[in-house]
Amino acid sequence: MKFKMIHENYNVSDLDRSIKFYNEALDLHEVRRKTTDDFIIVYLSNDVSDFELELTWLKDHPQPYNLGECEFHLAFQAEDYEAAHKKHEEMGCICFENEAMGIYFIVDPDGYWLEILP
Amino acid sequence: MKFKMIHENYNVSDLDRSIKFYNEALDLHEVRRKTTDDFIIVYLSNDVSDFELELTWLKDHPQPYNLGECEFHLAFQAEDYEAAHKKHEEMGCICFENEAMGIYFIVDPDGYWLEILP
């Protein structure tokens, strides 16, 4: 019985702000959206894989999300690690560097951590 | 500047228990691990995509993880949705059904939600 990992969902409190961030920081763009009276779901992707990031906005949840200890993250392999680090430094979104492991983390507008590795 | 989504990390409090669950529920198996004095990282995958699930176990974190509102999830497309639902029903791990959307969620041993869709 086969199961294919196809997306990771993060709920966000401001869709436009998140889409702008993921576009600028990670070159992801909207590929489709589903809109209802209660929620909007937006799928972000790029042309280097078919895995998608799903952003869910709930009408009834205007407040910030409680991420608990935030001990989870989506990881991105950078084609050019040095250039990525420079860009994220300029954006001011680097939240943790692990030089021993040769990776760093950026944080999205809702507080979700994203790992960048070479 | 290209960024490829390559894995999602979830921190877990009992590696063996999690590996057993992901193997049984989603046919994921260990492809490699990194062991240090402070942590063990295990990567799980299968042959239907190159995206991986990273499980991190921290020596200094024996207590359950605080997942906050848990408004995030990794999604799996089932090759055979009916058979998957039957299996997960038997395992007793279904935590939420959304029949209107034609999807359901299972929960892993640490409380992380996983979406199953056709």
Side-chain angles (χ1 to χ4, degrees), chain B residues 40-66:
Chain B
I40 302 173
I41 293 176
V42 171
Y43 295 89
L44 302 179
S45 191
N46 60 19
D47 60 6
V48 292
S49 90
D50 57 0
F51 194 85
E52 295 178 335
L53 174 59
E54 176 185 46
L55 301 179
T56 298
W57 173 85
L58 301 177
K59 184 179 154 196
D60 290 340
H61 199 300
Q63 71 274 30
Y65 281 93
N66 173 2

Side-chain angles (χ1 to χ4, degrees), chain A residues 51-67:
Chain A
F51 193 85
E52 295 178 335
L53 174 59
E54 177 185 45
L55 302 180
T56 298
W57 173 85
L58 301 177
K59 184 180 156 195
D60 291 340
H61 199 300
Q63 71 274 31
Y65 281 93
N66 173 1
L67 306 184

Side-chain angles (χ1 to χ4, degrees), chain A:
Chain A
M1 195 180 299
K2 299 293 183 190
F3 292 92
K4 184 178 182 185
M5 292 183 255
I6 58 168
H7 69 247
E8 171 69 20
N9 174 79
Y10 289 153
N11 277 23
V12 300
S13 54
D14 183 331
L15 262 181
D16 290 342
R17 180 181 65 168
S18 293
I19 292 169
K20 186 171 178 293
F21 171 83
Y22 282 102
N23 183 259
E24 189 178 350
L26 296 160
D27 191 33
L28 296 177
H29 54 87
E30 180 175 342
V31 288
R32 66 188 181 283
R33 70 168 59 196
K34 179 178 174 66
T35 303
T36 75
D37 290 341
D38 302 320
F39 62 83
I40 303 173
I41 292 176
V42 171
Y43 294 89
L44 302 179
S45 190
N46 61 19
D47 61 5
V48 292
S49 89
D50 58 0
F51 193 85
E52 295 178 335
L53 174 59
E54 177 185 45
L55 302 180
T56 298
W57 173 85
L58 301 177
K59 184 180 156 195
D60 291 340
H61 199 300
Q63 71 274 31
Y65 281 93
N66 173 1
L67 306 184
E69 288 172 272
C70 206
E71 288 283 20
F72 56 93
H73 61 258
L74 182 59
F76 294 78
Q77 188 169 43
E79 186 185 38
D80 184 337
Y81 185 77
E82 299 306 321
H85 191 282
K86 186 168 179 294
K87 170 210 274 277
H88 294 145
E89 209 163 34
E90 284 164 5
M91 285 179 67
C93 61
I94 295 176
C95 57
F96 183 68
E97 301 230 27
N98 189 329
E99 289 183 13
M101 292 183 77
I103 59 173
Y104 66 93
F105 291 82
I106 61 175
V107 61
D108 93 345
D110 286 273
Y112 293 99
W113 281 37
L114 309 157
E115 179 184 349
I116 311 297
L117 63 165

